[in-house]
Amino acid sequence: MILAVAVAVAASVGAVARYLVEAALARRTVAAWPVGTFVVNLTGSFALGVLVGLTLDRGVGGSAHAVLGSGFVGAYTTFSTFSYETVRLVERGAYRHAVVNVAVSLLGGLMAAAAGLLLASVVTG
Amino acid sequence: MAIGVGGALGGAGRHAVEVALASPGVTTSFPWPTFVVNVTGALILGVVATLVVERWPPTRYVRPFVGVGLLGGYTTWSAFMTDAALLVRDGRPGLALGYMAATLVAGLAATVAGIGLGRRWPATR
């Protein structure tokens, strides 16, 4: 029960953090690309890779993972916004942007997560 | 604040799904919890974003609460990416590819379906 509350609180902070990053980037970038979502998803993928590598993957720190990883980072990143923005790009005829958004988000995110896992394994020996 | 509250509920919702469906410690089977939250979240966001942007009168709180907060917090990109990275690392690259493809296809289709549903609401603007 307390864990659920902690997860919820961490998630609320994560969602607000995502909003702040997206708002900050929206002022500085061209509106054609969903840069805000890309940045939070990439940084979040790296962060979760590190966290999972330090906790779940080693069979320890389940609560830490739940709160920081699932709660904060899970809410910080978003799949639904990515999907909606990609579909909207297609609807506006920006097919190339949509394809690039998907490819770069997937490849970048996967590499970020892998890098995070690698860093965690290096740190823990 | 609306984002924070939405994020807390979304994160709690995802945590509940994870607790219900997850196989702790297993990194080599299809990551159902993440898949379920991402596809369902994509569907709902498709509906809600369309209603807010294209159908309902402008509001101050609904979009931040439901779109950015609730559904952004409910779905997750980071878990999607770490799930896939762990599948690759632990010897299931084919499943990783299938998982990423399935999530993308199902998620984008869910978003399109959600947008379609949202557009069936009579226009009031």
Side-chain angles (χ1 to χ4, degrees):
Chain A
M1 182 59 206
I2 292 189
L3 182 69
V5 171
V7 168
V9 170
S12 72
V13 176
V16 172
R18 169 164 38 86
Y19 169 76
L20 291 174
V21 170
E22 291 187 344
L25 285 169
R27 283 195 290 272
R28 292 167 174 70
T29 56
V30 183
W33 292 96
V35 174
T37 305
F38 176 73
V39 168
V40 297
N41 281 348
L42 207 72
T43 52
S45 297
F46 175 74
L48 190 62
V50 173
L51 261 166
V52 167
L54 291 177
T55 61
L56 276 196
D57 205 32
R58 296 168 62 226
V60 300
S63 299
H65 169 267
V67 175
L68 294 173
S70 180
F72 175 77
V73 181
Y76 173 67
T77 61
T78 172
F79 180 84
S80 54
T81 310
F82 160 81
S83 190
Y84 181 76
E85 287 169 341
T86 302
V87 171
R88 289 294 295 146
L89 283 170
V90 171
E91 285 192 334
R92 294 195 326 249
Y95 305 117
R96 202 171 59 86
H97 284 59
V99 170
V100 170
N101 187 41
V102 170
V104 171
S105 296
L106 274 181
L107 287 171
L110 199 59
M111 290 195 308
L117 287 167
L118 184 64
L119 181 65
S121 72
V122 165
V123 163
T124 56
Chain B
M1 223 195 78
I3 295 173
V5 173
L9 290 172
R14 173 163 40 79
H15 184 68
V17 173
E18 287 173 354
V19 167
L21 297 180
S23 322
V26 177
T27 59
T28 53
S29 60
F30 190 87
W32 283 108
T34 312
F35 181 79
V36 166
V37 298
N38 280 343
V39 175
T40 54
L43 171 70
I44 302 171
L45 182 69
V47 176
V48 172
T50 302
L51 290 175
V52 170
V53 172
E54 300 180 20
R55 288 291 182 268
W56 291 344
T59 67
R60 281 192 67 194
Y61 296 114
V62 174
R63 186 171 191 181
F65 173 74
V66 182
V68 178
L70 187 71
L71 295 163
Y74 175 64
T75 61
T76 174
W77 185 266
S78 52
F80 173 40
M81 293 286 98
T82 51
D83 288 343
L86 286 168
L87 282 170
V88 172
R89 189 197 67 178
D90 294 347
R92 308 283 323 259
L95 183 59
L97 208 61
Y99 169 58
M100 290 192 291
T103 299
L104 262 178
V105 170
L108 289 171
T111 299
V112 170
I115 292 175
L117 280 172
R119 287 185 177 148
R120 302 181 69 174
W121 188 282
T124 56
R125 54 154 64 177

